[in-house]
Amino acid sequence: MGDATSQGVAQRRRRSKPGRSEKYELRPRSRTSMGSRVYREDLEEEKHPAFTWEVKANDRAYNNQFKKKVFPCWQRKKHKSNVIHTAKYNAFSFLPLNLYEQFHRTSNLYFLLIIILQAIPEISTLPWFTLFTPLVCLLSIRATRDLLDDIGRCRSDRTINNRPCQILMGKSFRWKKWKNLRVGDLVCLHKDNIVPADLLLLASTEPSSLCYVETADIDGETNLKFRQAPAVTHHELTSIWSMASFQGKVVCEEPNGQMHHFVGCLEWKGKKYPLDSGNILLRGSKIRNTDACYGLAIYTGFDTKIMKNCGKVHLKRTKTDRLMSRLVALILLSLVLISLVLTFGFWYKVGEFKAKLAHSIATEAFTIFWSFLILLSVVVPMALFITAEFVHLGNSTFIGWDVHMYHAAQDMPAEARSTSLSDQLGQVQHVFSDKTGTLTQNVMTFNKCCIDGVVYGPDEEETPREENPYLWNKFADGKLLFQNAKLLEAVRGNKNKTVREFWRLLALCHTVMAQEKDNQLLYQAASPDEEALVTAARNFGYVFLARTRDSITVLELGEERVYQVLAMMDFNSVRKRMSVLVRNPEGSIYLYTKGADTVIFERLHKKGMTEWTTGEVLASFAEQTLRTLCLAYKEVGEGAYEEWRQRHQEASVLLRNRAPALHQLYEEMEQGLQLLGATAIEDKLQDGVLETIKCLKQGNIKVWVLTGDKQETAVNVGFACQLLSENTVILEEEEIVRVLEACQESDHLLSGEGLRRSRALKHAKVAMVISGDFLDQQLLSLHKEPRALVLQGRDPDSHEGPEVRRERAFVELASQCQAVICCRMTPQQKALIVALVKKYQNVVTLAIGDGANDVNMIKTADIGVGLAGQEGMQAVQNSDYVLAQFHFLQRLLLVHGRWSYMRICKFLRYFIYKTLASMTVQIWFAFYSGFTAQPLYEGWFLALFNLLYTTLPVLYIGLFEQDVSAEQSLQLPELYIAGQKDELFNYWVFFQAVVHGTATSLINFFMTLWVSRDSAGPLSFSDYQSFAVVVALSGLLSVTMEVILTIKYWTVLSVLAVSLSLCSYVVVTWACQSFWLFKISPKTFPFLYADRNVLTHPSILLVVLLNVSLNTLPVLALRIICQALKKPRPKKEAEEAPGEEIITAEPVPCMHRESRARRSSYAFSHREGYADLITQGTILWRTPGVSSDLLAGHTIPRDEELPSSAKESPWCSRKMSFLGRRGHQHGGRASSAAIQPPSVVSSSLTVGGQDNHFSLHKDMATATNAPSRSLQEELPVRRERSLSLEQRSCSPCDSLSPAEDRPLSPRGRGQLPPSESQSQLLGQLSSESWPAPLKGKMSP
């Protein structure tokens, strides 16, 4: 939720114009070079006061008096109800709105026009019901599909609106539904309740009216956050009676979507009290570790911040669908032109019969034009769209039937909630993924540790394990998966002081709160990392039991010890460490510190081989993408402490510059530390995430991570997912600003300097890591609604100003990067990033997430995928597809998506071909029928050709066709690129189908006409009906041969489809041409025995065979030649697709930067804890406030009454061997040969696993010319360095160059001088054998 940011901003308030709605404004901390969005908004607020939202407690009449003008003559209530309605339709709007959407399709409008024309007898050539019935079926199918999708949203809305909550009615809290909540109502919430609206926290049963909330559904963060009630309400509202008489009024800003921002004031009893985001409980948050809290509803329903960020439901159409709409419009234009040409032919032909016409020539020509238009309407067959609906439905059903996408743990198969987007799954180019709960499991596990240079990793599987090695510890929670017998033995032996102090530090140095429930010790922490460390210490026998304002109680191996807390120095993003100063029961004073290695190593007292080894271990942990932390301590003398305490007390009461003074004191105390070791925590990825992302990248699919979490946490996950690697150049925000500024002056990114930068990006591993605040400052479009942004981008007349060029440059720059990670993103910012990519890249986008903060992004993307995760079902209910795990996305896209796209493309191409091959014959026949618009075929053949005679084969293609198997699709992700490039269906493929179909119709018509010319007698077929039968049969067999050549995946179903189609023609034709039906209706069944008369003559069968051969053999030969000349695509595309290999790039001067240190990602990502609350006693002592007696008489809602909380992810282990070698585990000291990078072949340090003494290889002297990278660098010395693309991409051989010519390691460590205890051993070696930098250290 960005508490630190919001609270810091809120402290910089000032009042402006006093009045009824007093306005509070924010002063920006500083103005950036590009301008601050907050600052711009403040300037706007000064001109236009926006603090006009007034809410009075317990007074619905007062709140209802506010009106909002909607139309000049109509007003509605300004404050919306708490009812949400996310569905598109209701009972009254479904029919008109759905019809309005459907008739936006060009084909539907065309069919409606033809039906209207067919109802006119003078121009009708076919019965009106021949098109009306299929059109009604088509509209009904689509309407039913839309209705079923919307019913799911309605059910979700009903479930949410009917959730129970306690609302103050009169003098007591009563159970009501969410939909009954109104602005100004007071609400009582209990532990694990979901907040029903945006509430002002008034009081709680916790000390100082604190309230702990979890905001995973809002910003994706699973760590607890605290909110605090204003002091005045905390002290005054101590009973239900006082709450019932509460008449305070809140004046604040109008509803907006800024999740991390709130400014307002509380007016009560003639005084005004400031409010900020730290006093607000947002809708969708979950109450944690708080028995009860009480809030005042400020924003309800669609006025809440989360609903402002949810976006609207829009109709999604695929690229193929939009292309078909354009092609249908092109076909219709062609039919109009052809009808005009044939009408002019009629005009010319009918001139000699002028006297016999009942009407004028113009009138007859006008009638003939519409007759031709109706006759040729079969060229755009209704059956195409009806069959396509069944194809989409079938492919969507197959997704749910795929057992490989069934997750047994959740008993959840994949689900296609939208049935019209299956083919677009095969064209995705950008995947936008959430992080928390989507890529990760939300489970932090203690994975490894290093104590005094000894690495302790998980025991190997072959090592016999006890059922539970922690049974000796009654406080062990049984959830720790880490097991190391040697470490456990060292802990229980209690002989090693370093081991003892290591675990004691983890049990003391933290801000975790402990509470006992049901005889179970429970922890609540500011971050899951900290909870994992304290839990690990608990299982190893160092149990944190309780804390007071000035003491911490720890159970150490069964002995209870109470430590007096003298000072707590909390973590923040500048310090990157936390310290606690305590007095132990023996009276000694110790300082325990944990933090980033870059800050801990600077403050060490000595730097020997243990510290050097620990530094290498940290590097190896980072390479395994573990979140690392350094631990150190020191003993403080009594005199030094007293002197420091007095100065600390003086600094803590300063009115000015208090924070810098305290920081300086902390710096003085945190010097001369002794290193204990390091910890490694794994932010567990979901199963198969790494393989899935790798496979998607091979398929040319870009994966962007959009998360509300902190930047360092997201970057660490980026390394774990291999979106980032050690040789990846991460663009800094300053560089991005320079590129955007340069592009504002040019029309395109790829010009001038931008061209050189882009070329470098294409040939190097470059990534972009940015924050939501940075995007807000740079892109003004982020203030728009996502849908409006996309529509504006599709408007060709939209003016491209400087801001548009800036947006385009940003998107193009980001698209050149191999990975993009956006952090601290609000839900609306996520959606707007997706909209920007859609606007300027014109690519198919897919968004995947599992929380309510992902809903807007899911709605905006072309395809939305919801994961059924721990963060509720909001994402699932608003998605197009539902998966249980992220790794199922690989099969969804590469198998089902590619198959669906290939099937739809083949289906459309073949359908267009077969329709033109059979129906354009009407055009050629018009030249021989006097342009009278007389149909050539029998009416039943026209009606049943697309509905029966050729339906089954084309349906088989759309549902079951496969070019390669599912296994091959996963093994060859490069095949997916064809869909991204629209290779299987585009204007060229459409043109080929048109030419092919036209050529087939020409051969069938004119070959038959040529053979039958000047023939007479019983063997002749020159009469109208016989000629029609021969042409019809030739066309049917020709398109059947084409489908036989098209199908590659032959099964029993394909054989049955072809056979049944031909059999249906024989049966139906025999019935329609029977004498019995002819007697019933001669006009309806005029072709009496026409087929039997023609097909009984072998010569006529030879004509049919000739037509089919001329249509099939040339096409077959042409395809064989093209296939032989065609280069194999997978190999070619694999070369073009972005690979994993390192490509050396030419140097780019503009991309020098300080490299990122990512070893201690925990320390960088860890948020500030509860140290201030602890030291002030706010969190520990109960002061006058809401009494727990208020809970009397109010039962906590049953589980079935409230929405079920998110299920906890199962604790599962993922083995990660230390550097992939068995020899570096279980307490054996790590050798530097294994620890140092594989590219460095230099001297190494080895350790005897039993005696724990270091020994140096004698061949170390040979390494003078090729010194080890780790020996060249200094851990305690921080060097500022710049790293260019050229340096990033140097080859392994280059890394062996001398120190003065070689770029520094990205880890930025220096060498450590040998410790005093090893001086004799090192002295045995000649100083000449040491690298040059180390000589200086060894010299006196």
Side-chain angles (χ1 to χ4, degrees), residues 832-847:
L832 287 164
I833 287 295
V834 177
L836 278 175
V837 174
K838 290 173 62 177
K839 175 181 178 182
Y840 293 112
Q841 291 292 308
N842 193 26
V843 296
V844 177
T845 58
L846 181 146

Side-chain angles (χ1 to χ4, degrees), residues 6 47 63 123 220 240 311 352 365 372 425 438 480 503 540 579 672 743 785 874 897 937 944 1039 1159 1186 1251 1276 1278:
S6 59
K47 298 178 181 178
N63 297 324
I123 62 175
I240 295 180
E352 55 191 86
F372 272 121
L425 288 171
T438 303
L480 183 64
W503 292 107
F540 273 89
S579 299
C743 294
E785 201 273 330
Q874 290 89 340
Y937 298 127
L944 299 176
V1039 299
R1159 291 198 317 204
V1186 175
D1251 54 7
R1278 300 184 65 186

Side-chain angles (χ1 to χ4, degrees), residues 35-44 776-777 780 783:
S36 170
R37 176 183 178 184
V38 175
Y39 180 73
R40 290 195 301 265
E41 289 181 347
D42 288 342
L43 294 180
E44 294 175 1
D776 254 351
Q777 296 171 10
L780 294 179
H783 305 177

Side-chain angles (χ1 to χ4, degrees), residues 253-301:
E253 57 193 2
E254 292 285 325
N256 58 74
Q258 299 182 46
M259 304 294 295
H260 306 151
H261 179 268
F262 177 83
V263 177
C265 70
L266 172 64
E267 299 178 4
W268 188 29
K269 296 181 179 180
K271 295 183 179 180
K272 297 182 179 179
Y273 307 93
L275 303 175
D276 57 37
S277 59
N279 308 124
I280 302 300
L281 302 176
L282 295 182
R283 177 187 175 115
S285 305
K286 185 173 289 187
I287 306 299
R288 295 292 194 192
N289 301 328
T290 305
D291 292 333
C293 63
Y294 301 85
L296 169 67
I298 298 177
Y299 305 129
T300 54

Side-chain angles (χ1 to χ4, degrees), residues 928-1129:
Y928 294 90
S929 63
F931 302 99
T932 57
Q934 178 187 0
L936 170 65
Y937 298 127
E938 178 189 10
W940 289 104
F941 182 84
L942 284 173
L944 299 176
F945 177 78
N946 283 318
L947 290 177
L948 186 59
Y949 300 157
T950 57
T951 299
L952 293 180
V954 76
L955 196 59
Y956 177 86
I957 291 177
L959 292 177
F960 303 106
E961 174 66 351
Q962 297 180 17
D963 52 352
V964 295
S965 65
E967 292 74 17
Q968 290 174 320
S969 295
L970 296 175
Q971 293 170 2
L972 298 173
E974 298 83 5
L975 296 175
Y976 190 84
I977 300 176
Q980 297 173 338
K981 295 183 177 180
D982 299 324
E983 291 185 0
L984 300 185
F985 191 76
N986 48 44
Y987 286 106
W988 174 242
V989 174
F990 171 74
F991 177 74
Q992 290 177 336
V994 170
V995 171
H996 189 192
T998 304
T1000 300
S1001 67
L1002 286 170
I1003 291 174
N1004 289 336
F1005 181 82
F1006 286 102
M1007 283 301 299
T1008 304
L1009 181 64
W1010 177 68
V1011 173
S1012 64
R1013 177 173 294 180
D1014 300 330
S1015 61
L1019 299 180
S1020 173
F1021 52 94
S1022 57
D1023 62 285
Y1024 163 67
Q1025 290 190 352
S1026 299
F1027 182 82
V1029 166
V1030 173
V1031 174
L1033 185 59
S1034 299
L1036 178 61
L1037 294 179
S1038 295
V1039 299
T1040 302
M1041 287 300 300
E1042 175 64 20
V1043 80
I1044 291 174
L1045 297 177
T1046 300
I1047 295 175
K1048 293 184 178 180
Y1049 183 63
W1050 281 93
T1051 63
V1052 175
L1053 288 178
S1054 57
V1055 175
L1056 287 176
V1058 175
S1059 303
L1060 291 176
S1061 296
L1062 295 177
C1063 291
S1064 65
Y1065 170 78
V1066 173
V1067 173
V1068 174
T1069 302
W1070 173 82
C1072 292
Q1073 297 180 4
S1074 64
F1075 181 73
W1076 177 68
L1077 291 178
F1078 176 77
K1079 284 198 326 182
I1080 296 175
S1081 179
K1083 291 185 179 181
T1084 307
F1085 305 97
F1087 280 59
L1088 178 62
Y1089 296 139
D1091 272 52
R1092 188 175 68 177
N1093 292 336
V1094 171
L1095 299 180
T1096 53
H1097 302 292
S1099 59
I1100 298 179
L1101 293 178
L1102 288 176
V1103 175
V1104 175
L1105 180 60
L1106 175 64
N1107 291 340
V1108 175
S1109 301
L1110 290 176
N1111 287 321
T1112 304
L1113 295 180
V1115 174
L1116 180 60
L1118 182 62
R1119 290 178 180 174
I1120 293 175
I1121 294 173
C1122 292
Q1123 191 68 26
L1125 297 177
K1126 187 177 180 181
K1127 294 181 180 179
R1129 174 230 287 286

